[in-house]
Amino acid sequence: MPSFTLPRTVRPTRITRAHKISAAVVASASCAAALALTAAPSNAETTAAHAPAAVKPVSANGLPLTAKDRADGGKKDQQLASSLTTGLKVTAVAKQGHAAKQAADRSADRKVIAAPKAAAPKAAPKAAPKASPKRYANNLDGWIRESLDIMKSKRIPGSYEGLHRNIMRESSGNPNAVNDWDVNAINGIPSKGLLQVIQPTFNTYHVSGTPHKLTDPVANITAAANYAAHRYGSIDNVNSAY
């Protein structure tokens, strides 16, 4: 007879705690997947469920709109649209006007800033105070000094010494002295004044700006000095009757 060898008895494998946890995790995952597939609706069902239902327009009382309601509503919509358009136009015009005003204000500000300051008017130069007229003493010294200033302005030569010397010889300083004995007196034209001048000579050599009077002290001196300048070069050159 043939002999058979019995297979060895397989030793049962020991299930550990880790194996149990792994199996539980796998089972839980399988159940979750199954529940998800069952709960998820199909694409068609989802689209149909979420599609918005057609809404019919109704009036304020809840009844469907009539043709009149639609017409009135259309008019109201047109009026509302017209009102909105007008309001937008008015707002746009107002904004444009405001922007133009701001631009004008800025332009005016720039002009004010850029405008150069007007130069302050220059003060008129003060007029030089008028020199008070020079005063001279009413005596021989004053008469000679006044005569010298007039002679200087008229470019008539002569000095204080030359005038004083000749005056003292001719009249001793008396402006009213009159020579009534010489040839001129005999001829009716006596010499008079500080420098004993006859009338014709005085008339010819009178200096403008002085009184036209033969016995006036200053007029007599300046006329005699003018005559001496023409005949002798200067009163300083006269040392005797002239």
Side-chain angles (χ1 to χ4, degrees), residues 59 63-71:
S59 63
L63 297 176
L65 290 175
T66 63
K68 183 180 178 182
D69 292 334
R70 291 191 181 90

Side-chain angles (χ1 to χ4, degrees), residues 7 15 21 23 26 36 42 51 60 118 123 125 127 140 173 178 195:
I15 299 175
I21 293 173
V26 172
S42 64
L140 181 58
V178 177
L195 284 171

Side-chain angles (χ1 to χ4, degrees), residues 41-98:
S42 64
N43 292 339
E45 291 175 350
T46 302
T47 304
H50 292 278
V55 179
K56 294 182 180 181
V58 295
S59 63
N61 56 12
L63 297 176
L65 290 175
T66 63
K68 183 180 178 182
D69 292 334
R70 291 191 181 90
D72 292 341
K75 290 181 180 179
K76 291 180 180 179
D77 292 342
Q78 290 179 356
Q79 291 175 355
L80 179 59
S82 176
S83 177
L84 291 174
T85 303
T86 304
L88 291 174
K89 289 182 179 178
V90 171
T91 302
V93 171
K95 287 183 178 179
Q96 289 178 355
H98 183 65

Side-chain angles (χ1 to χ4, degrees), residues 3-242:
S3 61
F4 295 94
T5 304
L6 292 174
R8 298 177 61 183
T9 303
V10 178
R11 296 176 62 184
T13 303
R14 186 179 178 180
I15 299 175
T16 66
R17 183 179 179 184
H19 291 161
K20 291 179 181 180
I21 293 173
S22 298
V25 170
V26 172
S28 297
S30 299
C31 291
L35 288 173
L37 291 174
T38 304
S42 64
N43 292 339
E45 291 175 350
T46 302
T47 304
H50 292 278
V55 179
K56 294 182 180 181
V58 295
S59 63
N61 56 12
L63 297 176
L65 290 175
T66 63
K68 183 180 178 182
D69 292 334
R70 291 191 181 90
D72 292 341
K75 290 181 180 179
K76 291 180 180 179
D77 292 342
Q78 290 179 356
Q79 291 175 355
L80 179 59
S82 176
S83 177
L84 291 174
T85 303
T86 304
L88 291 174
K89 289 182 179 178
V90 171
T91 302
V93 171
K95 287 183 178 179
Q96 289 178 355
H98 183 65
K101 184 177 181 302
Q102 286 182 336
D105 292 341
R106 288 194 297 270
S107 177
D109 291 341
R110 285 195 294 271
K111 288 181 180 179
V112 170
I113 293 172
K117 293 183 179 179
K122 293 182 179 180
K126 293 183 179 180
K130 293 182 178 180
S132 57
K134 190 174 180 179
R135 297 182 179 276
Y136 303 91
N138 189 26
N139 54 30
L140 181 58
D141 178 73
W143 300 330
I144 293 175
R145 293 184 184 282
E146 184 176 357
S147 297
L148 285 171
D149 286 342
I150 295 173
M151 290 164 58
K152 182 178 180 181
S153 67
K154 303 294 182 179
R155 296 184 179 181
I156 298 173
S159 66
Y160 186 99
E161 186 277 330
L163 290 174
H164 186 269
R165 173 168 44 82
N166 281 284
I167 289 172
M168 295 308 291
R169 185 189 68 249
E170 295 290 333
S171 65
S172 301
N174 180 10
N176 295 313
V178 177
N179 183 337
D180 56 2
W181 56 268
D182 65 1
V183 66
N184 291 322
I186 294 172
N187 293 332
I189 48 173
S191 302
K192 298 180 180 180
L194 292 173
L195 284 171
Q196 293 294 286
V197 182
I198 61 175
Q199 190 67 48
T201 302
F202 178 83
N203 293 338
T204 302
Y205 295 98
H206 172 258
V207 177
S208 62
T210 62
H212 206 287
K213 182 180 179 181
L214 180 58
T215 56
D216 179 85
V218 175
N220 188 279
I221 293 173
T222 54
N226 191 25
Y227 164 74
H230 281 81
R231 186 166 183 179
Y232 305 104
S234 173
I235 191 70
D236 294 345
N237 298 329
V238 178
N239 295 301
S240 61
Y242 58 103

